[in-house]
């Protein structure tokens, strides 16, 4: 299994500002994933963060809005830029693990409210 | 676009009741289906990873079945307890670690 720590766990942000969420894993992993859940919506994949290369973004998500860093095999950050109320969401990071590599482990999430 | 549907969206049951909910997904190019349990302010917890048509898995009072040909999975909870209250998520898993989630079923168990 993998233990994932996320910071901050919760924050209230002003419109137009940016916030960086940190994700720390207790073991080295190749890929880290960032998800978002807006109120009443499904958990949706934002991007896949690979160490040593640019993140791969899903349709509807762009690097300017959600820049991602992956400086080493245990750490990643997601920045939510120029926030608006529509960015109020739970943001989760996750990693792949388990036998066969098909179990996904999640952090506890970062609950952001944009006012 | 792959679409994963869960029903019902929410469910309120009494302690001791058994309950079940459904996850529907496209049956083509199936790789795996995941079930998660997500309590507020905690990490989503993996319950089951299901890969084979006809799979049945069990963990305590919770079990799940899988039909990949018709594209559905059922999650059953026997003798619900208040601590079972959570949101239950299913997700299609693609090779490479990507998960496509349903909207979840929010279960509330009253003592």
């Amino acid at each position: 299994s993998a233990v994932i720590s996320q910071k901050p766990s919760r924050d209230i942000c002003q419109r137009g500002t940016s916030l960086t969420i940190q994700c720390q894993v207790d073991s080295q992993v190749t890929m880290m994933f960032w998800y978002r859940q807006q109120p009443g919506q499904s958990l949706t994949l934002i991007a896949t963060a690979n160490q040593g290369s640019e993140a791969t973004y899903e349709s509807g998500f762009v690097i300017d809005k959600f820049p991602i860093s992956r400086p080493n095999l245990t750490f990643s950050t997601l920045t939510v830029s120029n926030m608006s109320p529509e960015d109020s969401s739970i943001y989760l990071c996750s990693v792949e693990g388990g036998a066969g590599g098909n179990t996904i482990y999640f952090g506890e999430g970062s609950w952001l409210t944009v006012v | 676009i792959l679409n994963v549907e869960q029903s019902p969206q929410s469910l309120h049951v009494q302690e001791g009741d058994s309950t079940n909910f459904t996850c529907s997904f496209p049956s083509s190019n199936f790789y795996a289906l995941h079930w998660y349990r997500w309590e507020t302010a905690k990490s989503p917890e993996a319950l089951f990873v299901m890969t084979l048509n006809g799979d049945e898995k069990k963990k305590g009072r919770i079990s799940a079945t899988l039909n990949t040909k018709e594209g559905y999975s059922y999650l059953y909870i026997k003798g619900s307890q208040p601590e079972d209250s959570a949101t239950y998520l299913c997700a299609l898993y693609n090779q490479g670690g990507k998960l496509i989630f349903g909207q979840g079923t929010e279960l509330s168990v009253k003592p």
Side-chain angles (χ1 to χ4, degrees):
Chain A
S1 65
V3 177
I4 302 172
S5 304
Q6 272 187 244
K7 287 194 297 189
S9 57
R10 192 180 290 268
D11 208 341
I12 299 173
C13 308
Q14 294 294 319
R15 189 190 302 243
T17 62
S18 298
L19 182 81
T20 296
I21 303 166
Q22 299 179 6
C23 180
Q24 179 76 52
V25 190
D26 69 343
S27 56
Q28 293 185 338
V29 293
T30 305
M31 292 191 289
M32 295 176 77
F33 304 91
W34 286 99
Y35 288 83
R36 173 178 81 174
Q37 185 183 45
Q38 294 174 299
Q41 304 296 314
S42 308
L43 264 175
T44 302
L45 182 63
I46 298 171
T48 303
N50 301 305
Q51 197 269 333
S53 64
E54 275 198 6
T56 305
Y57 289 83
E58 298 299 307
S59 175
F61 297 97
V62 295
I63 189 171
D64 289 346
K65 176 67 177 176
F66 297 101
I68 286 171
S69 80
R70 184 80 202 275
N72 57 53
L73 291 172
T74 64
F75 187 78
S76 179
T77 68
L78 170 78
T79 299
V80 186
S81 303
N82 187 25
M83 285 186 282
S84 66
E86 291 71 39
D87 295 318
S88 298
S89 296
I90 305 169
Y91 293 86
L92 286 153
C93 74
S94 72
V95 304
E96 193 173 25
N102 63 358
T103 299
I104 307 296
Y105 300 96
F106 287 89
E108 291 181 340
S110 299
W111 296 56
L112 302 188
T113 303
V114 184
V115 297
Chain B
I1 296 176
L2 292 176
N3 206 26
V4 178
E5 301 281 346
Q6 288 188 249
S7 63
Q9 283 193 346
S10 64
L11 200 52
H12 299 267
V13 302
Q14 288 294 132
E15 182 175 355
D17 288 350
S18 294
T19 187
N20 66 84
F21 17 95
T22 306
C23 174
S24 304
F25 52 88
S27 55
S28 59
N29 298 316
F30 177 85
Y31 188 75
L33 187 86
H34 290 212
W35 279 100
Y36 289 87
R37 180 174 178 275
W38 194 6
E39 287 183 77
T40 304
K42 296 186 178 179
S43 311
E45 173 199 354
L47 289 173
F48 304 113
V49 176
M50 309 185 79
T51 55
L52 298 175
N53 185 45
D55 253 358
E56 290 189 29
K57 296 207 170 179
K58 189 175 180 182
K59 184 186 266 192
R61 294 180 291 98
I62 304 176
S63 60
T65 61
L66 178 68
N67 183 324
T68 60
K69 293 186 178 179
E70 295 181 37
Y72 64 84
S73 176
Y74 293 136
L75 189 80
Y76 301 91
I77 302 178
K78 186 178 178 182
S80 303
Q81 300 296 309
E83 57 265 29
D84 296 328
S85 298
T87 297
Y88 291 83
L89 299 168
C90 72
L92 267 185
Y93 174 81
N94 294 327
Q95 284 179 294
K98 295 183 184 181
L99 288 168
I100 300 166
F101 283 89
Q103 286 188 316
T105 293
E106 189 176 350
L107 177 67
S108 173
V109 183
K110 294 186 178 179

